[in-house]
Amino acid sequence: MSIDPFPTPTPEIENLLAEDRKFPPDPAFAAQANATAELYAEAEADPEAFWARLARERIDWVEDFHTTLEWDLPFAKWFVGGKLNIAYNCIDRHVERGLGHKVAYHWIGEPGDTRTITFADLQREVSKAANALLELGVQTGDRVAIYMPMIPELPIAMLACARIGAPHTVVFGGFSAEALSGRISDCQAKLVITADGGWRRGKPAPLKPAVDEALESSPTIEHTLVVRRLGDAVEGGTAMQDGRDVWWDDIVDRQPPVHEPVALDSEHMLYLLYTSGTTAKPKGIVHSTAGYLLGASFTHEMVFDVKPDDVYWCAADVGWVTGHSYIVYGPLANATTSVLYEGTPDTPDWGRWWQIIEDYKVNILYCAPTAIRAHMKQGAQYAQAHDLSSLRVLGSVGEPINPVAWLWYQKHIGAGTKPIVDTWWQTETGMIMITPLPGVTTTKPGSATFPFPGIEVDVIDSAGNTVPLGGGGLLVLKRPWPAMLRGIYGDPERYKETYWSRFPGMYFAGDGAKRDLEGYLWLLGRVDDVMNVSGHRLSTTEIESALVSHPAVAEAAVVGGPDPVTGEAINAFVILRLGPSNEPTPALGDELRKHVATKISPIAKPKGLMFVPDLPKTRSGKIMRRLLRDIAQGRALGDTTTLADAGVVDLIRSNTGASED
Ligand code: PRX
């Protein structure tokens, strides 16, 4: 056997998709933008001084901090010695400065009922709720689980916890009783705040029965506090257990409307948020107070260019980190007026979001690529029927946004001109980490562009070396940042092992990325999903984006499956845009496979392609490629507990329109 003395290095991940469209900032927008290019220079010159300046300017402290950062890798403490209350910073200080009348939330229930909550209302309601928590025996440091629909009492409950220093753990209302009890047990929560249910797709969706089931195996819970949202709409009524279950109205309404916020340490645990690991047990990601408040509020103001009179709408669920940072803490700290919507985008029809934007003159919309692609599938006619001219900035988060979805978003929602901010971050990072700054950054569709000022990102190969520009590799973060996770609850070893052990001194995000020749960052999806075809390491994202660039396609997912010749072969699952000419025929399948070959490379041409009506997704909208791999290989499905809609898998299995080599 001969050994090649100069082997061609195999790139960590191939760079296939070339996107050369560019959108420089509109000069009129740039002239009024919150962010400036100088921020990058200031942050680079002295990151700690940069964050310290901002912390002093933006946070109302009870006691100033003495040390900006204590970095005992991988354990960080920010703004050490400082004391503050985050609920005070989100509410009371605005009221004290005369903004009590300002709307904090325009809440819209799915059936069409509405509530307007000002900062003064919020101060009263949060204070009453804080007093109720105290009456129920919750003390500073006790954990509280929150399991609620998207109603105003959800942020009120979080802020009441923050006000007394009881870390909350919000469990998304779509999760099962089992998921709820697992999280309660892990953090030994004392109280669950919940509701009788919420409205979803035109129907009442009860929640309390799942709480009752979860509590059968949650001995640490002493009480539940239950908001009445559905009332008589719950068939048979909501069962309440004497001595344990308390109606919100019964206890909160009679509390005094004032409560002195507790002064807490900068590093006090604000909340825990569970994120599913690739293996078994979910990780309780720990976030602390001051650094998180700074990271969430500063990025919110810069990335979305939020102005005092803007109406801002983040369409995520508060149960995800996006909701924590960009529906609750970031916007409230900035005294921003937000829209909070209870329901789904398709109820009563696909025009619902656009109606809300028209009604409330929304200026900023922040949502996920999965929602944009769902709207793309339905067609632009719904958006075109509404006046969206109030919109100024459009955001995307949660998955890579395919260039065509980006362009669709800008054209049909953003009148072809509004800046799009594709923001990369994670539950663990707490704040946006890679993003354009509107008015400053020239964007490219599909690229999250550059790290936020003060953030240091690298793309490395498996030996830890920086990949030259134009190449793909693994995304790492190289310096601590204020909103970073402080650990995994109760498991410092798992924290070290998961994030800090693969490359010493660097935070390993688990995502693939490439940097183009101009240094723009392109996220390539989870490293676990990378496929190895004939020795080429291919990211799912680029092939999916190539498929979505065909005018017939709304959404696509690709996965690898074993292949005797190439090692792995690419299988594609495709959702067509609705339209008379888009038929799921073998001929269209062949056309799409060839389209990928010409658009990016013959090595990326899917071997098999299947048309599907839907894709398996997590409840936060991410495609579950792991399950698609199981389907493609005819295996029994792995863990499906995070699957949003179990019926989708059967639909795909029973589907026929396949095309293959
Ligand atoms: O894979 C990346 C993807 O979502 C992961 C983090 O998920 P989660 O903790 O649920 O937080 C989602 C909301 C912040 C990342 O590791 N992701 C998130 N935003 C983007 C993204 N992938 C590409 N582009 C993005 N803008």
Side-chain angles (χ1 to χ4, degrees):
M1 194 174 89
S2 69
I3 293 174
D4 182 356
F6 302 108
T8 321
T10 315
E12 203 57 44
I13 302 178
E14 302 273 342
N15 172 8
L16 298 176
L17 190 70
E19 174 59 65
D20 45 22
R21 285 165 284 204
K22 278 193 189 179
F23 293 83
D26 167 20
F29 190 102
Q32 60 82 65
N34 290 349
T36 58
E38 283 76 62
L39 281 177
Y40 293 105
E42 184 198 344
E44 266 334 281
D46 187 343
E48 279 185 45
F50 172 72
W51 293 119
R53 170 179 76 77
L54 292 168
R56 291 208 166 90
E57 280 174 19
R58 303 181 64 90
I59 295 177
D60 278 39
W61 296 92
V62 178
E63 258 173 56
D64 191 14
F65 56 93
H66 54 70
T67 306
T68 303
L69 170 67
E70 274 178 19
W71 183 218
D72 180 10
L73 200 149
F75 298 100
K77 288 187 181 158
W78 282 88
F79 311 122
V80 185
K83 287 204 185 307
L84 73 161
N85 185 281
I86 193 168
Y88 174 84
N89 276 272
C90 287
I91 308 170
D92 305 59
R93 63 170 172 165
H94 307 319
V95 178
E96 287 165 16
R97 285 168 201 165
L99 294 177
H101 64 283
K102 191 174 176 185
V103 175
Y105 291 115
H106 289 294
W107 176 76
I108 303 151
E110 199 192 73
D113 47 341
T114 59
R115 274 167 73 184
T116 306
I117 293 152
T118 64
F119 281 93
D121 296 335
L122 208 50
Q123 186 181 37
R124 232 181 0 260
E125 295 310 314
V126 169
S127 297
K128 287 197 297 191
N131 288 325
L133 294 182
L134 295 173
E135 187 180 319
L136 289 170
V138 179
Q139 293 172 356
T140 304
D142 288 342
R143 275 80 58 214
V144 173
I146 300 180
Y147 183 64
M148 290 173 96
M150 286 278 283
I151 54 177
E153 286 80 3
L154 170 51
I156 290 170
M158 293 162 76
L159 291 156
C161 289
R163 204 169 177 94
I164 66 169
H168 54 72
T169 186
V170 181
V171 180
F172 170 58
F175 275 140
S176 63
E178 196 187 331
L180 176 62
S181 79
R183 285 155 174 76
I184 290 172
S185 313
D186 188 71
C187 71
Q188 309 263 291
K190 207 166 170 181
L191 175 77
V192 186
I193 309 180
T194 185
D196 53 2
W199 289 93
R200 213 161 167 77
R201 295 215 159 83
K203 295 199 194 85
L207 268 187
K208 179 67 170 34
V211 177
D212 293 338
E213 191 187 330
L215 295 199
E216 284 168 19
S217 50
S218 306
T220 57
I221 295 292
E222 294 170 7
H223 291 287
T224 74
L225 182 54
V226 189
V227 178
R228 213 185 296 270
R229 162 74 182 130
L230 294 176
D232 295 341
V234 180
E235 217 175 299
T238 296
M240 297 288 276
Q241 187 176 311
D242 246 11
R244 186 193 74 183
D245 301 342
V246 186
W247 286 110
W248 178 283
D249 306 345
D250 289 347
I251 187 165
V252 175
D253 285 2
R254 61 175 168 74
Q255 299 296 324
V258 282
H259 170 270
E260 184 64 31
V262 180
L264 299 160
D265 218 76
S266 289
E267 280 297 313
H268 185 79
M269 178 163 73
L270 172 64
Y271 69 81
L272 272 165
L273 190 57
Y274 285 84
T275 169
S276 46
T278 38
T279 52
K281 191 168 163 249
K283 305 185 285 264
I285 302 299
V286 176
H287 280 292
S288 68
T289 302
Y292 176 79
L293 171 61
L294 175 63
S297 74
F298 184 55
T299 50
H300 177 253
E301 190 171 329
M302 294 299 132
V303 174
F304 301 109
D305 195 54
V306 183
K307 306 292 191 221
D309 293 330
D310 275 345
V311 178
Y312 158 89
W313 183 17
C314 168
D317 194 285
V318 169
W320 312 122
V321 74
T322 308
H324 283 57
S325 298
Y326 299 109
I327 298 179
V328 182
Y329 293 109
L332 291 178
N334 293 332
T336 299
T337 298
S338 288
V339 162
L340 190 66
Y341 170 55
E342 179 185 32
T344 59
D346 57 349
T347 308
D349 63 42
W350 283 96
R352 186 69 188 263
W353 276 20
W354 319 128
Q355 182 72 54
I356 292 174
I357 290 172
E358 180 173 342
D359 290 348
Y360 289 86
K361 302 201 170 18
V362 172
N363 304 108
I364 299 155
L365 175 66
Y366 190 30
C367 66
T370 182
I372 299 163
R373 291 187 301 246
H375 285 294
M376 233 167 82
K377 175 179 173 187
Q378 300 300 321
Q381 67 278 13
Y382 293 99
Q384 280 158 359
H386 294 279
D387 177 5
L388 306 182
S389 59
S390 54
L391 287 170
R392 293 199 304 111
V393 179
L394 304 174
S396 169
V397 61
E399 277 187 301
I401 176 165
N402 319 101
V404 164
W406 193 107
L407 291 163
W408 188 95
Y409 194 26
Q410 189 180 55
K411 178 170 177 199
H412 295 291
I413 312 305
T417 54
K418 314 289 165 76
I420 310 266
V421 287
D422 172 13
T423 64
W424 177 90
W425 58 296
Q426 306 179 299
T427 303
E428 292 86 340
T429 68
M431 62 187 252
I432 292 171
M433 303 294 279
I434 305 176
T435 179
L437 293 179
V440 175
T441 312
T442 294
T443 51
K444 298 186 186 183
S447 166
T449 72
F450 303 107
F452 189 80
I455 303 302
E456 191 182 353
V457 166
D458 203 358
V459 178
I460 60 172
D461 62 21
S462 49
N465 303 311
T466 299
V467 170
L469 293 187
L474 314 172
L475 185 78
V476 290
L477 303 169
K478 290 177 114 170
R479 87 168 63 112
W481 62 100
M484 67 189 279
L485 74 167
R486 298 303 195 259
I488 294 177
Y489 189 71
D491 203 345
E493 279 314 309
R494 192 172 177 202
Y495 168 63
K496 282 192 215 167
E497 164 74 28
T498 310
Y499 303 107
W500 301 93
S501 66
R502 183 143 174 203
F503 303 104
M506 298 185 220
Y507 171 89
F508 175 52
D511 280 350
K514 72 177 190 194
R515 245 183 318 214
D516 69 18
L517 295 172
E518 294 179 315
Y520 280 72
L521 288 157
W522 300 76
L523 277 303
L524 297 177
R526 303 296 294 167
V527 175
D528 303 335
D529 292 329
V530 167
M531 300 165 295
N532 193 331
V533 181
S534 305
H536 296 280
R537 292 176 54 78
L538 307 179
S539 88
T540 52
T541 304
E542 294 193 310
I543 302 169
E544 289 162 5
S545 288
L547 284 162
V548 176
S549 75
H550 189 284
V553 177
E555 180 149 31
V558 300
V559 295
D563 185 277
V565 181
T566 55
E568 266 189 289
I570 302 167
N571 293 300
F573 296 80
V574 170
I575 300 179
L576 291 176
R577 293 196 198 198
L578 300 182
S581 53
N582 296 338
E583 286 300 317
T585 58
L588 180 58
D590 288 343
E591 184 182 324
L592 295 178
R593 291 167 49 244
K594 283 196 199 108
H595 179 74
V596 175
T598 35
K599 179 93 189 158
I600 48 178
S601 160
I603 55 166
K605 183 175 169 186
K607 184 165 189 216
L609 185 144
M610 195 187 272
F611 293 107
V612 291
D614 209 342
L615 287 167
K617 294 196 179 146
T618 64
R619 289 173 171 87
S620 61
K622 291 188 208 298
I623 297 170
M624 294 181 76
R625 293 182 188 73
R626 178 171 59 73
L627 293 185
L628 289 172
R629 281 196 289 269
D630 293 341
I631 294 171
Q633 292 165 40
R635 279 198 305 253
L637 298 186
D639 182 11
T640 53
T641 48
T642 56
L643 184 63
D645 177 359
V648 170
V649 172
D650 299 329
L651 265 177
I652 295 175
R653 282 207 157 132
S654 62
N655 209 282
T656 44
S659 101
E660 244 183 80
D661 259 348

